[in-house]
Amino acid sequence: NAPAALRRRAQARHRAAEAALRHLLRAVQPRRMPRATDGAMQSWPAFARDALQRLDCKALQRMARTDWDDPGERHALRVRLRRLRYAAEFLSSAFPGSSAKPLLRSLRKLQDLLGELNDIAVARRLTRDLSGRRRDPVARQKDLLAQLPAARRRFAASPRFWLR
């Protein structure tokens, strides 16, 4: 168990983060479906294809320029991948007969690896900030970093169901 003072500081940070999140969520505005260049509403499949292609390109570009040893860059990629995955899960219904499973599975695995690496980075920072002590799970981080190339290749090679 953590010492009481450490636990109180962690709880205070947690409450501040929750308050910041509530403030951010109140500021979010709903979005409308975009119109085609002629002003007409896009079809659902056309909208889905455009949205997924744009998110996929952004994720692949971010992945290509990520410094894998930098926790901030890995986290930024994880956010891009999360956006793509959620959009793919939601928009897959626009492509009946196509299987989104291989892409979604590869995205989930890559996100899980990046998430665990992020957890390690956050744990390091919190441990250092809250207690001044360092607990460095270097072995686990090396293992996760070693798994990233294969997970990246699987994601990049997964068929884009919206292009079939």
Side-chain angles (χ1 to χ4, degrees), residues 4 14 22 30 32 41 48 53 70 75 77-78 80 97 102 112 116 118 130-131 134 143-144 158:
H14 181 80
R22 280 192 299 277
R32 294 183 188 172
M41 293 295 282
Q53 191 62 34
D70 183 322
H75 180 67
L77 172 62
R78 184 171 166 237
R80 283 271 177 222
D112 288 348
E116 195 167 343
N118 188 60
L130 296 173
S131 70
R134 288 185 176 245
D143 178 48
L144 294 168
S158 292

Side-chain angles (χ1 to χ4, degrees), residues 88-108:
E89 287 172 345
F90 179 72
L91 297 173
S92 65
S93 65
F95 308 95
S98 295
S99 177
K101 287 180 184 178
L103 179 70
L104 293 174
R105 196 174 314 127
S106 70
L107 275 168
R108 214 171 280 120

